[in-house]
Amino acid sequence: MGIEDASMRNGRALSDQWADSVVVRPRTTEQHITVNKRLVLGFAISILTLIVVTAIAITLSVSFERCAAESSGALAANGSSNSKWKQSRDGNISHRDSEDGQQPWRHLRLPATLRPRHYDLRLSVYMENFTFSGEVNIEFECVHSTKFIVLHTDRLEVERVLVYSDSKKAGAMRIQRRFHYQPKQVYVIALHREMKPLRTYKINITFHAHIEHELLGFFRSSHVLNGERRFLAVTQFSPTHARKAFPCFDEPIYKATFRVSLKHESSYQSLSNMPVEASTSDEDGWVTNHFSRTPRMSTYYLAWAVCNFIYREAVTDNGVVIRLYARPDAIQSGSGDYALHITKRLLQFYQDYFKVKYSLPKLDLLAVPKHPYAAMENWGLSVFVEQKILLDPDVSSFSYQMELTMVVVHEICHQWFGDLVTPVWWEDVWLKEGFAHYFEYIGTDFLFPKWNMEKQRFLTDVLHEVMLLDGLASSHPISQEVFEATDIDRVFDWIAYKKGAALIRMLANVMGQPLFQRGLNAMQREGKDINITQVMDRWTLQMGYPVVTISKNDSLDSSVTISQEHFVYDTDAKIQNPELFNNSFQWQIPLTLAVGNSSHISTETIIWVSNKTGTNYVLFNFTKTWLIFQGKMHKNELLVSDPCTLFLFSRAGYLPQNVPLQMISYLSQETEFLPWHAASRALYQLDKLLDRTEDHSLFSDYVLRQVEPKYHKLGWPAASPDGSFMQVAYQADELQSAKRGDACSFGNKHCHRQAVSLISDWISSNKNRIPPNVRDIVYCTGVSLMDEDVWEFIWMEFHSSTAISEKKVLLEALTCSDNIFLLNRLLNLSLTSDLVPDQDVIDVIIHVGRNPLGRHLAWRYFCEKWDILNSRYGEALFMNSKLISGVTEFLNTEAELNELKEFILTTGGESAPAFARAVEIVQANVKWHILFQQQFYRWLRKAPDG
């Protein structure tokens, strides 16, 4: 295998020391990854090795100790590197310059003069007024002489600071001055004399702060139980918010051990990463829980919670205690049992796959009413928003179960790849997130093999999605530069998650799954001489992806010409920005080749395309055989990928507009779920482009002609003798759901009558007999076709339902109304009601915008409420980006484009990547209408009936 790694060449196993490496280096694909000592054997033979040594050719060998001894040479050797990039990749190594200037607090990265070893953190939590006070003792080693201690703090009131040396001299060291430097969110302690290298020191800091309402740092949330509002407090430290809860070295490279103590009223309980090792009670009714010492880990994986939840428990064969904590009513109803069950199986699955045991004695899963993300993989205490972990089997659909399963699979994967193995700096966050996103499909297939997720859903839910995003001129390399603290949240986007997953899957398919699992150190023994570093450079360090053109070479027999070029959604961007879109964009592309005819297809072989244009010789007869090329996917993806991919190419002007529709017309005989699912997603995008045009019925009628034969054949869920609906197999149910959704959405009368009948029966009988797997389309169709009373009925059911999955379906159904007054009312209610979680507020605004009658309403509401929305979600950039892209993606008029541009100017959002993408997408929508709408409708008027 093509591995250039010093630690492997020198025969050294992976050690914990390379977690501490800090060296100056230019922008290359060599990255640092930190690991726990327990990875030594397993990492070398597992999939983790693949990711570490291939994706970015990670440097493993230099430790802090060597840095201390060789810093002068390292700095001199790299002194010619680009200074801004040097600060980004290893800003904390510029200690010499910053010390000389006596201002080390002005840099993005902390100075590399100190290294934390251990935190002893004691907190008192006051839930009655949402405040907390704390004392932290940090033991640290001096690596380079300095008189400055620079720590991260944000929104903390520091009271007292004491610094002690490990020398025999008693008493605290003299502090010359101390201050908070807000631009970099750091607290600076300047000592009277320098600290010396290789000596250990301790700093003691007392502080206090508020338990924030904003969902970052140490924040509060609430729920209602038996009419009583109850509060809880929980942490969310990723990526840079541990500093909001205690002073710390808040960068992922600074791993340390932690010992946490939490004091609170005895009516509450507390949780943290580790089990409680001792508990003491005071006479005043307060209790203090002392938690065991953690393994070495980054600050952003530390976690704790104070709540009055109860739990269900399971124990693995290895003795790991798994507990799921949630609201008492949710636990008592069994809503957490499903997640608890699959988590137990997943721990064993990952242990077997990675050949590394889960390294903590327990794993707690905490379901909270509000959270800025779907979940957070804190080591030993993973936190989930309720919608992503609680499942009521009586009312939850297959799709809800699937989504929940994949979130749990993702977070449990992070207990290894993320918690145990951690990127040193945020530019490489795609590595852990892409890996976990890919394993959503691998792990789910382990739990439910018949779902066939990796070969089916990955294509439409990941690959097609990332092609849309990465085809934009405003896209970016998967490994992003970070120059300012405000850039850190930006790296957590769908490019990191989805493109990362797609690249890892590409490697897995090129290598083959068995070899992929064993790791790259076996590649050459298997005869696969692939320079993975060279391959991955092109995919990680430049944005976008290639479109490959294959044509018969008329001048040479049995040969084809293969060329590649950078695919850009807006072809005008290449003209407008020639410096960005130059000819240097090239990729190393694994193309699968198969030759065949009607009776036989040859064994697949791989051709590597690395040049702009090249000639390849293939032994076949053009007149009698087929020649099939495809990217390294699975065989059944060749045809089914076309609806979405062809739509993308046609929108960009690479193909005529009728090609995707002609492709869809061939699907009437298709019996598999995936082709229909891919087609439905392509049709959805087209529908949103056209649904406010006068001739929209031409399109909807055409789609119905393709969909109705399959819809009528599949029908609705069959009723059993007792009146309940019989369940069918997963793939069959998903195909039924897809066709019912298309039929009702595009106006099939039978589908409409069925939905209205089911809603009417529910209202008249006061008993909901609607099967869970059809409730989304039935509720939406009923709300859109029936009167205002039905909307009110659904709204009241949303209020009264205690099932998380049901509440989500009911709330989204309310956005389907064709009454503009009700849509506006819903927007206002969702933002002001405590019953609507923050994630659902965003979903309501987005779904109202997907309703053609509510599109401009949602956009105007977004503009009017921007200050409120931005203050609530602004720092949780992932949620903010989802809102911005969701509410703008289907705007498609010149007036709306101008409004968007004006809004960005007036709000100062020019630099926000989400707004740049929004402008590009809306411009493309407007351009499509100008160039292609009439051509599209002309073809529809002449299209055949079948």
Side-chain angles (χ1 to χ4, degrees):
M1 59 183 177
I3 300 177
E4 294 293 328
D5 180 76
S7 66
M8 300 302 290
R9 283 198 307 268
N10 296 335
R12 295 198 303 270
L14 305 181
S15 74
D16 206 47
Q17 292 182 343
W18 59 279
D20 306 324
S21 303
V22 182
V23 293
V24 183
R25 51 195 168 84
R27 177 164 174 78
T28 69
T29 54
E30 297 179 349
Q31 314 292 333
H32 291 282
I33 296 293
T34 63
V35 297
N36 181 286
K37 289 181 180 178
R38 303 185 62 146
L39 276 176
V40 172
L41 178 61
F43 205 79
I45 62 173
S46 71
I47 179 57
L48 301 184
T49 305
L50 166 69
I51 306 306
V52 172
V53 298
T54 63
I56 49 176
I58 299 149
T59 303
L60 307 178
S61 59
V62 184
S63 66
F64 252 117
E65 285 77 5
R66 287 179 57 191
C67 252
E70 301 171 7
S71 59
S72 298
L75 285 166
N78 292 278
S80 61
S81 301
N82 177 277
S83 60
K84 189 175 183 182
W85 173 238
K86 187 184 347 180
Q87 180 181 340
S88 167
R89 292 305 270 185
D90 269 310
N92 54 2
I93 51 75
S94 57
H95 62 89
R96 172 177 291 181
D97 294 337
S98 62
E99 290 289 310
D100 290 345
Q102 298 295 298
Q103 293 185 332
W105 52 87
R106 291 185 178 273
H107 295 267
L108 169 65
R109 303 285 297 275
L110 294 176
T113 50
L114 308 175
R115 177 182 63 175
R117 287 183 171 181
H118 176 71
Y119 294 79
D120 190 347
L121 178 61
R122 296 185 288 274
L123 298 175
S124 297
V125 181
Y126 307 99
M127 294 297 293
E128 72 277 7
N129 63 0
F130 306 119
T131 62
F132 67 101
S133 61
E135 179 180 1
V136 63
N137 285 283
I138 309 174
E139 178 185 317
F140 60 91
E141 179 184 353
C142 180
V143 180
H144 303 284
S145 297
T146 181
K147 64 179 180 179
F148 295 110
I149 302 172
V150 184
L151 298 164
H152 285 109
T153 65
D154 185 23
R155 306 182 191 180
L156 300 178
E157 292 293 331
V158 174
E159 299 168 355
R160 185 190 72 229
V161 178
L162 298 171
V163 181
Y164 299 92
S165 171
D166 64 351
S167 66
K168 296 181 180 179
K169 185 176 180 180
M173 299 177 68
R174 181 180 171 186
I175 297 175
Q176 191 174 49
R177 59 180 176 137
R178 57 185 176 93
F179 59 93
H180 184 233
Y181 185 64
Q182 180 56 36
K184 300 300 181 183
Q185 297 180 346
V186 294
Y187 197 82
V188 183
I189 300 101
L191 301 173
H192 183 70
R193 60 183 174 85
E194 282 191 337
M195 295 175 287
K196 302 302 180 183
L198 304 181
R199 289 177 58 177
T200 302
Y201 297 82
K202 290 184 179 179
I203 183 169
N204 174 276
I205 304 175
T206 57
F207 57 95
H208 65 271
H210 291 281
I211 302 173
E212 300 285 354
H213 179 69
E214 182 185 17
L215 307 181
L216 295 169
F218 188 24
F219 69 91
R220 66 183 186 266
S221 184
S222 67
H223 65 98
V224 176
L225 181 66
N226 299 325
E228 175 191 356
R229 182 162 296 281
R230 297 188 176 188
F231 291 91
L232 65 144
V234 67
T235 58
Q236 170 57 37
F237 290 162
S238 177
T240 58
H241 306 294
R243 64 194 68 177
K244 290 181 170 66
F246 65 106
C248 56
F249 295 82
D250 199 14
E251 293 180 7
I253 190 175
Y254 290 115
K255 285 190 169 186
T257 57
F258 297 82
R259 192 180 293 275
V260 176
S261 297
L262 294 173
K263 183 178 181 180
H264 49 81
E265 292 177 274
S266 58
S267 58
Y268 290 89
Q269 63 179 312
S270 53
L271 307 171
S272 190
N273 305 77
M274 300 297 288
V276 175
E277 66 178 7
S279 185
T280 58
S281 298
D282 297 340
E283 294 181 357
D284 57 1
W286 284 65
V287 64
T288 303
N289 284 331
H290 304 275
F291 297 89
S292 300
R293 188 179 184 127
T294 72
R296 292 181 70 250
M297 63 183 190
S298 303
T299 49
Y300 75 97
Y301 281 132
L302 187 66
W304 62 79
V306 176
C307 60
N308 44 29
F309 287 171
I310 62 175
Y311 66 86
R312 288 278 178 89
E313 181 181 292
V315 181
T316 70
D317 294 341
N318 294 327
V320 178
V321 178
I322 308 168
R323 290 179 175 176
L324 190 146
Y325 288 84
R327 293 177 284 108
D329 53 335
I331 292 295
Q332 291 160 1
S333 69
S335 295
D337 293 354
Y338 173 76
L340 188 64
H341 169 70
I342 64 172
T343 296
K344 180 180 177 180
R345 295 184 61 198
L346 286 167
L347 283 182
Q348 187 62 53
F349 166 70
Y350 285 125
Q351 286 184 158
D352 294 341
Y353 198 100
F354 298 143
K355 312 300 182 187
V356 179
K357 287 185 178 180
Y358 178 71
S359 54
L360 300 186
K362 63 94 174 174
L363 173 58
D364 292 337
L365 312 175
L366 177 63
V368 297
K370 292 187 177 183
H371 196 267
Y373 307 102
M376 177 62 204
E377 67 274 11
N378 308 307
W379 205 359
L381 176 57
S382 291
V383 182
F384 296 76
V385 70
E386 289 181 335
Q387 296 96 319
K388 304 302 181 184
I389 196 169
L390 299 182
L391 180 145
D392 187 332
D394 293 332
V395 298
S396 299
S397 64
F398 267 138
S399 59
Y400 183 88
Q401 179 189 3
M402 180 185 68
E403 182 179 354
L404 183 152
T405 301
M406 296 178 76
V407 171
V408 175
V409 171
H410 182 109
E411 303 308 324
I412 303 305
C413 178
H414 273 315
Q415 297 293 314
W416 279 263
F417 209 83
D419 298 358
L420 197 60
V421 184
T422 311
V424 158
W425 189 235
W426 302 110
E427 282 137 334
D428 301 324
V429 76
W430 73 269
L431 194 58
K432 76 181 185 74
E433 294 301 345
F435 187 83
H437 195 46
Y438 171 60
F439 255 82
E440 290 177 25
Y441 298 84
I442 301 297
T444 302
D445 277 348
F446 161 75
L447 294 171
F448 304 103
K450 292 183 179 179
W451 289 12
N452 206 17
M453 297 292 291
E454 195 268 336
K455 292 185 179 179
Q456 301 234 17
R457 285 279 189 168
F458 191 95
L459 176 71
T460 55
D461 298 356
V462 177
L463 198 56
H464 287 158
E465 289 292 321
V466 80
M467 287 175 71
L468 286 169
L469 291 171
D470 208 23
L472 297 173
S474 55
S475 185
H476 58 77
I478 194 172
S479 180
Q480 296 189 70
E481 300 173 348
V482 175
F483 296 125
E484 298 294 337
T486 52
D487 294 335
I488 293 173
D489 276 296
R490 174 172 54 83
V491 304
F492 289 84
D493 66 3
W494 281 128
I495 295 291
Y497 283 70
K498 292 183 180 292
K499 188 174 183 179
L503 293 182
I504 291 165
R505 181 175 181 261
M506 180 182 75
L507 280 177
N509 287 335
V510 167
M511 296 170 62
Q513 282 291 343
L515 182 58
F516 179 74
Q517 184 173 350
R518 291 202 302 275
L520 272 181
N521 58 344
M523 282 193 68
Q524 283 188 327
R525 292 198 302 271
E526 298 284 339
K528 296 193 175 186
D529 188 13
I530 302 171
N531 189 328
I532 297 297
T533 302
Q534 191 176 39
V535 172
M536 293 303 292
D537 276 355
R538 298 299 180 94
W539 291 98
T540 62
L541 299 182
Q542 62 187 17
M543 72 180 205
Y545 56 89
V547 55
V548 177
T549 302
I550 304 169
S551 57
K552 176 184 174 182
N553 193 328
D554 293 328
S555 62
L556 296 171
D557 293 335
S558 300
S559 68
V560 293
T561 299
I562 303 176
S563 61
Q564 60 168 293
E565 65 173 301
H566 183 190
F567 175 85
V568 183
Y569 202 63
D570 181 6
T571 53
D572 291 342
K574 292 184 178 181
I575 301 173
Q576 297 164 358
N577 197 346
E579 292 183 1
L580 180 61
F581 301 102
N582 56 47
N583 291 327
S584 66
F585 279 79
Q586 285 181 226
W587 290 263
Q588 291 208 15
I589 308 163
L591 283 183
T592 304
L593 165 66
V595 178
N597 52 38
S598 58
S599 60
H600 173 74
I601 296 179
S602 69
T603 303
E604 292 180 350
T605 59
I606 294 178
I607 293 177
W608 284 90
V609 178
S610 56
N611 299 321
K612 281 287 184 181
T613 302
T615 300
N616 291 80
Y617 291 91
V618 183
L619 295 177
F620 78 109
N621 187 320
F622 275 105
T623 61
K624 296 181 180 180
T625 57
W626 306 325
L627 183 62
I628 304 174
F629 282 95
Q630 61 183 114
K632 185 58 185 169
M633 303 177 188
H634 295 277
K635 286 183 180 179
N636 65 339
E637 292 178 10
L638 175 66
L639 180 63
V640 300
S641 64
D642 279 348
C644 288
T645 307
L646 294 181
F647 171 60
L648 186 69
F649 284 173
S650 65
R651 283 208 59 184
Y654 285 84
L655 294 172
Q657 297 304 301
N658 61 297
V659 172
L661 293 184
Q662 287 179 318
M663 179 70 190
I664 289 167
S665 70
Y666 301 146
L667 290 174
S668 58
Q669 305 303 314
E670 182 59 61
T671 60
E672 296 295 324
F673 162 72
L674 181 57
W676 280 109
H677 183 59
S680 293
R681 293 174 74 94
L683 290 171
Y684 178 80
Q685 296 289 328
L686 272 172
D687 186 52
K688 296 308 167 189
L689 269 178
L690 300 168
D691 60 8
R692 293 185 294 173
T693 62
E694 292 183 3
D695 293 328
H696 177 248
S697 61
L698 285 173
F699 174 67
S700 58
D701 289 345
Y702 177 84
V703 173
L704 278 178
R705 290 198 298 271
Q706 318 311 317
V707 168
E708 283 177 332
K710 182 63 66 175
Y711 162 74
H712 289 300
K713 183 177 181 179
L714 293 174
W716 286 68
S720 58
D722 63 358
S724 63
F725 287 84
M726 299 169 61
Q727 295 293 322
V728 296
Y730 167 75
Q731 295 290 346
D733 183 84
E734 285 292 270
L735 181 55
Q736 283 184 349
S737 296
K739 291 310 98 198
R740 278 191 299 267
D742 289 341
C744 276
S745 297
F746 287 103
N748 177 271
K749 300 303 182 185
H750 177 273
C751 192
H752 286 178
R753 288 194 299 270
Q754 187 75 8
V756 169
S757 174
L758 289 169
I759 289 281
S760 300
D761 175 72
W762 178 18
I763 295 173
S764 62
S765 67
N766 200 29
K767 183 177 181 180
N768 190 347
R769 289 187 280 259
I770 304 171
N773 291 337
V774 302
R775 288 186 179 183
D776 54 352
I777 191 63
V778 169
Y779 293 177
C780 180
T781 303
V783 166
S784 67
L785 295 177
M786 302 170 78
D787 58 25
E788 186 174 337
D789 290 341
V790 173
W791 192 95
E792 296 287 354
F793 174 80
I794 296 293
W795 174 248
M796 294 307 297
E797 287 294 322
F798 167 77
H799 273 266
S800 61
S801 176
T802 58
I804 296 297
S805 59
E806 180 73 353
K807 291 179 77 72
K808 183 176 179 63
V809 176
L810 289 164
L811 190 62
E812 290 182 0
L814 293 168
T815 68
C816 300
S817 175
D818 61 358
N819 185 319
I820 206 75
F821 167 78
L822 292 176
L823 292 176
N824 192 56
R825 179 183 165 197
L826 177 62
L827 288 169
N828 287 306
L829 286 171
S830 65
L831 193 59
T832 57
S833 174
D834 285 339
L835 293 173
V836 181
D838 287 344
Q839 287 87 351
D840 287 345
V841 172
I842 292 176
D843 286 341
V844 165
I845 299 172
I846 291 173
H847 278 80
V848 169
R850 291 174 179 172
N851 182 334
L853 292 173
R855 187 158 307 148
H856 199 72
L857 173 67
W859 163 240
R860 296 304 306 163
Y861 184 83
F862 169 85
C863 295
E864 292 168 7
K865 303 296 183 181
W866 170 247
D867 289 341
I868 297 173
L869 294 167
N870 193 44
S871 65
R872 183 180 292 191
Y873 309 123
E875 225 179 325
L877 193 64
F878 195 86
M879 294 177 70
N880 211 26
S881 297
K882 176 184 175 182
L883 175 61
I884 293 168
S885 60
V887 82
T888 59
E889 65 178 325
F890 298 123
L891 301 178
N892 53 32
T893 69
E894 195 76 47
E896 288 168 339
L897 176 60
N898 292 333
E899 288 176 8
L900 174 59
K901 291 179 177 178
E902 182 179 352
F903 173 78
I904 293 171
L905 287 174
T906 56
T907 58
E910 302 95 325
S911 61
F915 279 125
R917 287 192 297 270
V919 169
E920 186 177 353
I921 289 171
V922 177
Q923 284 177 332
N925 292 343
V926 172
K927 179 180 176 181
W928 187 90
H929 278 282
I930 294 172
L931 296 179
F932 301 124
Q933 178 186 318
Q934 293 306 315
Q935 173 188 338
F936 187 82
Y937 278 134
R938 280 196 299 271
W939 185 88
L940 284 175
R941 289 187 180 95
K942 299 177 181 178
D945 292 339

